[in-house]
Coordinates of all heavy atoms in Angstrom, one line a residue:
M1 N 118.7 128.7 84.4 CA 117.3 128.7 84.7 C 117.1 128.9 86.2 O 117.6 128.1 87.0 CB 116.7 127.4 84.2 CG 115.3 127.2 84.5 SD 114.4 126.0 83.5 CE 115.0 124.5 84.3
P2 N 116.3 129.9 86.6 CA 116.1 130.1 88.1 C 115.3 128.9 88.7 O 114.5 128.3 88.0 CB 115.3 131.4 88.1 CG 114.9 131.7 86.8 CD 115.6 130.9 85.8
T3 N 115.4 128.7 89.9 CA 114.7 127.7 90.6 C 114.1 128.2 91.9 O 114.6 129.2 92.5 CB 115.7 126.5 91.0 OG1 115.0 125.5 91.7 CG2 116.8 127.0 91.8
T4 N 113.0 127.6 92.3 CA 112.4 128.0 93.6 C 112.9 127.2 94.8 O 112.6 127.5 95.9 CB 110.9 127.7 93.5 OG1 110.6 126.3 93.3 CG2 110.2 128.5 92.4
K5 N 113.8 126.3 94.5 CA 114.4 125.5 95.6 C 115.6 126.2 96.2 O 116.3 127.0 95.5 CB 114.9 124.1 95.1 CG 113.7 123.3 94.5 CD 114.3 122.0 94.0 CE 113.2 121.1 93.3 NZ 113.8 120.0 92.7
T6 N 115.8 126.0 97.4 CA 117.0 126.5 98.1 C 118.2 125.6 97.9 O 118.1 124.4 98.1 CB 116.7 126.7 99.6 OG1 115.6 127.6 99.8 CG2 117.9 127.3 100.3
R7 N 119.3 126.2 97.5 CA 120.5 125.4 97.3 C 121.3 125.4 98.7 O 121.5 126.4 99.3 CB 121.3 126.0 96.2 CG 122.6 125.2 95.9 CD 123.3 125.8 94.7 NE 122.4 125.8 93.5 CZ 122.3 124.8 92.7 NH1 123.1 123.7 92.9 NH2 121.6 124.9 91.6
I8 N 121.7 124.2 99.0 CA 122.5 124.0 100.3 C 123.8 123.2 99.9 O 123.7 122.2 99.3 CB 121.7 123.2 101.3 CG1 120.4 123.9 101.7 CG2 122.6 122.9 102.5 CD1 119.5 123.1 102.6
N9 N 124.9 123.8 100.3 CA 126.2 123.1 100.0 C 126.6 122.4 101.2 O 126.7 122.9 102.3 CB 127.2 124.2 99.6 CG 126.9 124.9 98.3 OD1 126.5 124.2 97.4 ND2 127.1 126.2 98.3
I10 N 127.0 121.1 101.0 CA 127.5 120.3 102.2 C 128.8 119.6 101.7 O 129.0 119.4 100.5 CB 126.5 119.3 102.7 CG1 126.1 118.3 101.5 CG2 125.2 119.9 103.2 CD1 125.4 117.1 102.0
S11 N 129.6 119.3 102.7 CA 130.8 118.5 102.4 C 130.6 117.1 102.9 O 130.1 116.9 104.1 CB 132.0 119.1 103.1 OG 132.2 120.5 102.7
V12 N 130.9 116.1 102.1 CA 130.8 114.7 102.5 C 132.1 114.0 102.3 O 132.9 114.4 101.5 CB 129.7 114.0 101.8 CG1 128.3 114.7 102.1 CG2 129.9 114.0 100.3
S13 N 132.3 112.9 102.9 CA 133.5 112.1 102.7 C 133.4 111.4 101.3 O 132.4 111.4 100.7 CB 133.6 111.0 103.8 OG 132.6 110.0 103.6
D14 N 134.6 110.9 100.9 CA 134.6 110.3 99.6 C 133.7 109.1 99.6 O 133.1 108.8 98.6 CB 136.1 109.8 99.3 CG 137.0 111.0 99.0 OD1 136.5 112.1 98.8 OD2 138.2 110.8 99.1
D15 N 133.6 108.3 100.7 CA 132.8 107.2 100.8 C 131.3 107.5 100.6 O 130.6 106.8 99.9 CB 133.0 106.4 102.1 CG 134.3 105.8 102.2 OD1 135.0 105.5 101.2 OD2 134.7 105.5 103.3
V16 N 130.9 108.6 101.2 CA 129.5 109.0 101.1 C 129.2 109.5 99.7 O 128.2 109.2 99.1 CB 129.2 110.1 102.2 CG1 127.8 110.7 101.9 CG2 129.3 109.6 103.6
R17 N 130.2 110.3 99.1 CA 130.0 110.7 97.8 C 129.9 109.6 96.8 O 129.0 109.6 95.9 CB 131.2 111.6 97.4 CG 131.1 112.1 95.9 CD 132.5 112.5 95.4 NE 133.3 111.3 95.3 CZ 134.6 111.4 95.5 NH1 135.3 112.5 95.8 NH2 135.4 110.3 95.4
D18 N 130.7 108.5 97.0 CA 130.6 107.4 96.1 C 129.3 106.6 96.3 O 128.7 106.2 95.3 CB 131.8 106.4 96.3 CG 133.1 107.0 96.0 OD1 133.2 108.1 95.2 OD2 134.2 106.5 96.4
A19 N 128.9 106.5 97.5 CA 127.6 105.8 97.8 C 126.4 106.6 97.1 O 125.5 105.9 96.5 CB 127.4 105.6 99.3
L20 N 126.4 107.9 97.3 CA 125.4 108.7 96.7 C 125.4 108.6 95.1 O 124.3 108.5 94.5 CB 125.5 110.2 97.1 CG 125.2 110.5 98.5 CD1 125.7 111.9 98.8 CD2 123.8 110.3 98.8
A21 N 126.6 108.5 94.6 CA 126.7 108.4 93.1 C 126.1 107.0 92.7 O 125.4 107.0 91.7 CB 128.1 108.5 92.7
Q22 N 126.4 106.0 93.4 CA 125.9 104.7 93.0 C 124.4 104.6 93.2 O 123.7 104.0 92.3 CB 126.6 103.6 93.9 CG 128.0 103.3 93.6 CD 128.6 102.3 94.5 OE1 128.0 101.8 95.4 NE2 129.9 101.9 94.1
L23 N 123.9 105.1 94.3 CA 122.4 105.1 94.5 C 121.7 105.9 93.4 O 120.7 105.5 92.9 CB 122.1 105.7 95.8 CG 122.5 104.8 97.0 CD1 122.3 105.6 98.3 CD2 121.7 103.5 97.1
A24 N 122.2 107.1 93.0 CA 121.6 107.9 92.0 C 121.7 107.2 90.7 O 120.7 107.2 89.9 CB 122.3 109.3 91.9
R25 N 122.8 106.6 90.4 CA 122.9 105.8 89.1 C 121.9 104.7 89.1 O 121.3 104.4 88.1 CB 124.4 105.3 89.0 CG 124.8 105.0 87.6 CD 126.3 104.7 87.4 NE 127.0 104.3 88.6 CZ 127.9 105.1 89.2 NH1 128.2 106.3 88.7 NH2 128.6 104.7 90.3
R26 N 121.8 103.9 90.2 CA 120.9 102.8 90.3 C 119.5 103.3 90.0 O 118.7 102.6 89.3 CB 121.0 102.2 91.7 CG 120.0 101.0 91.9 CD 119.8 100.7 93.3 NE 119.0 101.8 94.0 CZ 118.8 101.8 95.3 NH1 119.4 100.9 96.1 NH2 118.1 102.8 95.8
D27 N 119.1 104.4 90.6 CA 117.7 104.9 90.5 C 117.5 105.8 89.2 O 116.4 106.3 89.0 CB 117.3 105.7 91.7 CG 117.3 104.8 93.0 OD1 117.3 103.6 92.8 OD2 117.3 105.4 94.1
R28 N 118.6 106.0 88.5 CA 118.6 106.8 87.3 C 118.0 108.2 87.5 O 117.1 108.7 86.8 CB 117.8 106.1 86.2 CG 118.4 104.8 85.7 CD 117.7 104.2 84.6 NE 118.4 103.0 84.1 CZ 117.8 101.9 84.0 NH1 116.6 101.7 84.3 NH2 118.5 100.8 83.6
I29 N 118.5 108.8 88.6 CA 118.2 110.2 88.9 C 119.4 111.0 89.2 O 120.5 110.4 89.5 CB 117.2 110.3 90.1 CG1 117.8 109.6 91.3 CG2 115.8 109.6 89.7 CD1 116.9 109.7 92.6
P30 N 119.4 112.3 89.1 CA 120.5 113.1 89.5 C 120.9 112.9 91.0 O 120.1 112.7 91.8 CB 120.1 114.6 89.2 CG 118.9 114.5 88.3 CD 118.3 113.2 88.6
K31 N 122.2 113.1 91.3 CA 122.7 113.0 92.7 C 121.9 113.9 93.6 O 121.6 113.6 94.7 CB 124.2 113.2 92.7 CG 125.0 112.0 92.4 CD 126.5 112.2 92.8 CE 127.1 113.1 91.8 NZ 128.6 113.2 91.9
A32 N 121.7 115.2 93.1 CA 121.1 116.1 94.0 C 119.6 115.7 94.3 O 119.2 115.9 95.5 CB 121.0 117.5 93.3
T33 N 119.0 115.1 93.4 CA 117.6 114.6 93.6 C 117.6 113.5 94.6 O 116.8 113.4 95.6 CB 116.9 114.1 92.3 OG1 116.9 115.2 91.4 CG2 115.6 113.6 92.6
K34 N 118.6 112.6 94.5 CA 118.7 111.4 95.5 C 119.0 112.0 96.9 O 118.5 111.5 97.8 CB 119.8 110.5 95.0 CG 119.9 109.2 95.8 CD 118.6 108.4 95.7 CE 118.6 107.2 96.5 NZ 117.3 106.5 96.4
V35 N 119.9 112.9 97.0 CA 120.3 113.5 98.3 C 119.0 114.2 98.9 O 118.8 114.0 100.1 CB 121.4 114.5 98.1 CG1 121.6 115.3 99.4 CG2 122.7 113.8 97.7
A36 N 118.3 114.9 98.1 CA 117.1 115.6 98.6 C 116.1 114.6 99.1 O 115.5 114.7 100.2 CB 116.5 116.4 97.5
R37 N 115.9 113.5 98.4 CA 114.9 112.4 98.8 C 115.4 111.7 100.1 O 114.6 111.5 101.0 CB 114.7 111.4 97.7 CG 113.9 112.0 96.5 CD 113.7 111.0 95.5 NE 113.0 111.6 94.3 CZ 112.8 110.9 93.2 NH1 113.3 109.7 93.0 NH2 112.2 111.6 92.2
L38 N 116.7 111.5 100.2 CA 117.2 110.8 101.4 C 117.1 111.8 102.6 O 116.8 111.3 103.7 CB 118.7 110.5 101.2 CG 119.0 109.3 100.3 CD1 120.4 109.1 99.9 CD2 118.4 108.0 100.9
L39 N 117.3 113.1 102.4 CA 117.2 114.0 103.4 C 115.7 114.1 103.9 O 115.4 114.2 105.1 CB 117.7 115.4 103.0 CG 117.7 116.5 104.0 CD1 118.4 116.2 105.2 CD2 118.2 117.8 103.4
E40 N 114.8 114.1 102.9 CA 113.3 114.1 103.3 C 113.0 112.9 104.2 O 112.3 113.0 105.2 CB 112.5 114.1 102.0 CG 112.5 115.4 101.3 CD 111.8 115.4 100.0 OE1 111.3 114.3 99.6 OE2 111.8 116.4 99.3
T41 N 113.5 111.7 103.8 CA 113.3 110.5 104.6 C 113.9 110.6 106.0 O 113.2 110.3 106.9 CB 113.9 109.3 103.8 OG1 113.3 109.2 102.5 CG2 113.7 108.0 104.6
A42 N 115.1 111.2 106.1 CA 115.7 111.3 107.4 C 114.9 112.3 108.2 O 114.7 112.0 109.5 CB 117.1 111.9 107.2
L43 N 114.4 113.4 107.7 CA 113.5 114.3 108.4 C 112.3 113.7 108.9 O 111.8 113.9 110.0 CB 113.3 115.6 107.6 CG 114.4 116.5 107.4 CD1 114.1 117.5 106.3 CD2 114.9 117.1 108.7
E44 N 111.7 112.8 108.1 CA 110.4 112.1 108.5 C 110.7 111.1 109.6 O 109.9 111.0 110.6 CB 109.9 111.3 107.3 CG 109.2 112.2 106.3 CD 108.8 111.5 105.0 OE1 109.0 110.2 105.0 OE2 108.3 112.1 104.1
L45 N 111.9 110.5 109.6 CA 112.3 109.6 110.7 C 112.5 110.4 112.0 O 112.1 109.9 113.1 CB 113.6 108.8 110.4 CG 113.4 107.8 109.3 CD1 114.8 107.2 108.9 CD2 112.5 106.6 109.8
E46 N 113.1 111.6 111.9 CA 113.3 112.4 113.1 C 111.9 112.8 113.6 O 111.7 112.8 114.9 CB 114.1 113.7 112.7 CG 115.6 113.4 112.5 CD 116.3 113.1 113.8 OE1 116.0 113.8 114.8 OE2 117.2 112.3 113.8
E47 N 111.0 113.2 112.8 CA 109.7 113.6 113.2 C 109.0 112.4 113.9 O 108.3 112.6 114.9 CB 108.9 114.1 112.0 CG 107.5 114.5 112.4 CD 106.6 114.9 111.2 OE1 106.8 114.3 110.1 OE2 105.9 115.9 111.3
D48 N 109.1 111.2 113.3 CA 108.5 110.1 114.0 C 109.0 109.8 115.4 O 108.3 109.4 116.3 CB 108.7 108.8 113.1 CG 107.9 108.8 111.8 OD1 107.0 109.6 111.7 OD2 108.2 108.0 110.9
E49 N 110.3 110.0 115.5 CA 110.9 109.8 116.9 C 110.4 110.8 117.9 O 110.1 110.5 119.0 CB 112.5 110.0 116.8 CG 113.1 108.8 116.1 CD 114.6 108.9 116.1 OE1 115.2 109.8 116.9 OE2 115.3 108.2 115.3
I50 N 110.1 112.1 117.4 CA 109.6 113.1 118.3 C 108.2 112.7 118.7 O 107.8 112.7 119.9 CB 109.6 114.5 117.6 CG1 111.1 114.9 117.5 CG2 108.8 115.5 118.4 CD1 111.3 116.1 116.6
W51 N 107.3 112.3 117.7 CA 106.0 111.9 118.0 C 105.9 110.7 118.9 O 105.1 110.6 119.8 CB 105.2 111.7 116.7 CG 104.8 112.9 116.0 CD1 105.1 113.3 114.8 CD2 103.9 113.9 116.5 NE1 104.6 114.5 114.4 CE2 103.8 114.9 115.5 CE3 103.2 114.2 117.7 CZ2 103.1 116.1 115.6 CZ3 102.5 115.3 117.8 CH2 102.4 116.3 116.8
N52 N 106.9 109.8 118.7 CA 106.9 108.6 119.6 C 107.3 108.9 121.0 O 106.7 108.4 121.9 CB 108.0 107.6 119.0 CG 107.9 106.3 119.7 OD1 106.8 105.7 119.9 ND2 109.1 105.8 120.1
A53 N 108.2 109.9 121.2 CA 108.6 110.3 122.5 C 107.4 111.0 123.2 O 107.1 110.7 124.4 CB 109.8 111.3 122.5
I54 N 106.6 111.8 122.5 CA 105.4 112.4 123.1 C 104.4 111.3 123.5 O 103.8 111.4 124.6 CB 104.8 113.4 122.1 CG1 105.8 114.6 121.9 CG2 103.4 113.9 122.5 CD1 105.4 115.5 120.8
A55 N 104.2 110.4 122.6 CA 103.2 109.3 122.9 C 103.6 108.5 124.1 O 102.8 108.1 124.9 CB 103.1 108.4 121.6
K56 N 104.9 108.2 124.2 CA 105.4 107.4 125.3 C 105.2 108.1 126.7 O 104.8 107.5 127.7 CB 106.9 107.1 125.2 CG 107.2 105.9 124.3 CD 108.7 105.6 124.3 CE 108.9 104.4 123.5 NZ 110.4 104.0 123.5
R57 N 105.4 109.5 126.7 CA 105.1 110.3 127.9 C 103.7 110.2 128.3 O 103.3 110.2 129.4 CB 105.6 111.7 127.7 CG 107.1 111.9 127.8 CD 107.5 113.3 128.0 NE 106.9 114.3 127.1 CZ 107.4 114.7 126.0 NH1 108.5 114.2 125.6 NH2 106.7 115.5 125.2
R58 N 102.8 110.2 127.3 CA 101.3 110.2 127.5 C 100.8 108.8 127.8 O 99.7 108.7 128.4 CB 100.6 110.8 126.3 CG 100.9 112.3 126.1 CD 100.2 112.8 124.9 NE 100.4 114.2 124.7 CZ 99.9 114.9 123.7 NH1 99.1 114.3 122.8 NH2 100.1 116.2 123.6
D59 N 101.5 107.8 127.5 CA 101.0 106.4 127.6 C 101.3 105.9 129.1 O 102.3 105.3 129.3 CB 101.6 105.5 126.6 CG 101.0 104.1 126.6 OD1 99.8 104.0 127.1 OD2 101.6 103.2 126.0
T60 N 100.4 106.3 130.0 CA 100.6 105.9 131.4 C 99.4 105.0 131.8 O 98.3 105.0 131.1 CB 100.6 107.2 132.3 OG1 99.4 107.9 132.2 CG2 101.8 108.1 131.9
P61 N 99.5 104.3 132.9 CA 98.4 103.4 133.3 C 97.1 104.2 133.5 O 96.0 103.7 133.3 CB 98.9 102.8 134.6 CG 100.4 102.9 134.5 CD 100.7 104.1 133.7
N62 N 97.1 105.4 134.0 CA 95.9 106.2 134.2 C 95.6 107.2 133.1 O 94.9 108.2 133.4 CB 96.0 106.9 135.6 CG 96.2 106.0 136.7 OD1 95.6 104.9 136.7 ND2 97.0 106.3 137.7
A63 N 96.0 106.9 131.9 CA 95.8 107.9 130.8 C 94.3 108.0 130.5 O 93.6 107.0 130.6 CB 96.6 107.4 129.6
R64 N 93.9 109.2 130.2 CA 92.5 109.4 129.7 C 92.5 109.2 128.2 O 93.4 109.6 127.5 CB 92.1 110.9 130.0 CG 91.9 111.2 131.4 CD 91.4 112.6 131.6 NE 91.8 113.5 130.5 CZ 91.1 114.5 130.2 NH1 90.0 114.9 130.8 NH2 91.4 115.3 129.2
Y65 N 91.4 108.6 127.8 CA 91.2 108.3 126.4 C 90.1 109.1 125.8 O 89.1 109.3 126.5 CB 91.0 106.8 126.1 CG 92.2 106.0 126.5 CD1 92.4 105.4 127.7 CD2 93.2 105.7 125.5 CE1 93.5 104.7 128.0 CE2 94.3 105.0 125.8 CZ 94.5 104.5 127.0 OH 95.6 103.7 127.3
L66 N 90.3 109.6 124.6 CA 89.2 110.4 124.0 C 88.8 109.6 122.7 O 89.5 109.0 122.1 CB 89.8 111.7 123.5 CG 90.3 112.7 124.6 CD1 90.9 113.9 123.9 CD2 89.1 113.1 125.5
S67 N 87.5 109.8 122.4 CA 87.0 109.2 121.2 C 87.6 110.0 120.0 O 88.1 111.1 120.1 CB 85.5 109.3 121.1 OG 85.1 110.7 121.0
H68 N 87.6 109.4 118.9 CA 88.1 110.0 117.7 C 87.4 111.3 117.4 O 88.0 112.3 117.0 CB 87.9 109.0 116.5 CG 88.5 109.6 115.2 ND1 89.8 109.5 114.9 CD2 87.9 110.2 114.1 CE1 90.0 110.1 113.7 NE2 88.8 110.5 113.2
E69 N 86.1 111.3 117.6 CA 85.3 112.5 117.3 C 85.7 113.7 118.2 O 85.8 114.8 117.8 CB 83.8 112.2 117.5 CG 83.2 111.3 116.4 CD 83.5 109.8 116.6 OE1 83.9 109.4 117.8 OE2 83.5 109.1 115.6
K70 N 85.9 113.4 119.5 CA 86.3 114.4 120.5 C 87.7 114.9 120.2 O 88.0 116.1 120.3 CB 86.2 113.9 121.9 CG 84.7 113.8 122.4 CD 84.8 113.4 123.9 CE 83.3 113.3 124.4 NZ 83.3 113.0 125.8
A71 N 88.6 114.0 119.8 CA 90.0 114.4 119.6 C 90.1 115.3 118.4 O 91.0 116.2 118.4 CB 90.8 113.1 119.3
W72 N 89.2 115.2 117.4 CA 89.4 116.1 116.2 C 88.4 117.2 116.2 O 88.2 117.9 115.1 CB 89.2 115.2 115.0 CG 90.4 114.3 114.8 CD1 90.5 113.0 115.1 CD2 91.7 114.7 114.3 NE1 91.7 112.5 114.9 CE2 92.5 113.5 114.4 CE3 92.2 115.9 113.8 CZ2 93.8 113.5 114.0 CZ3 93.5 115.9 113.4 CH2 94.3 114.7 113.5
K73 N 87.8 117.6 117.3 CA 87.0 118.8 117.4 C 87.8 120.0 117.6 O 88.8 120.0 118.2 CB 85.9 118.7 118.5 CG 84.8 117.8 118.0 CD 83.7 117.8 119.1 CE 82.5 117.0 118.6 NZ 81.4 117.0 119.4

């Protein structure tokens, strides 16, 4: 059956493979689904770190503040 998802092959250690199998079994989902969800979570964490770094650079004692209305115009 064709899929719209992109298939990515990765190599993992035996320990990681076993951990993924246990997590998938615990959640009663296929390993591939568990890996995809963990990857999505990791990407969200990476994105949060980038936004945090940007916010830290902008958070200075003389920072200008905008109202919510002006910021979203």
Side-chain angles (χ1 to χ4, degrees):
M1 173 161 78
T3 180
T4 59
K5 298 177 185 175
T6 300
R7 183 173 300 272
I8 299 174
N9 295 316
I10 61 168
S11 300
V12 297
S13 67
D14 292 343
D15 291 339
V16 172
R17 182 200 61 216
D18 294 343
L20 289 169
Q22 287 179 353
L23 291 170
R25 200 170 22 251
R26 178 198 69 188
D27 296 345
R28 296 186 176 124
I29 58 175
K31 276 191 283 189
T33 301
K34 188 63 183 179
V35 170
R37 289 181 183 171
L38 289 170
L39 184 56
E40 288 171 2
T41 300
L43 289 171
E44 289 173 3
L45 289 171
E46 286 287 324
E47 181 183 38
D48 287 348
E49 287 181 17
I50 292 168
W51 286 117
N52 189 47
I54 292 169
K56 279 185 177 182
R57 281 197 312 269
R58 292 179 177 179
D59 189 16
T60 62
N62 297 324
R64 290 183 335 152
Y65 292 92
L66 297 174
S67 69
H68 182 79
E69 291 78 22
K70 285 185 179 181
W72 289 100
K73 281 189 178 182

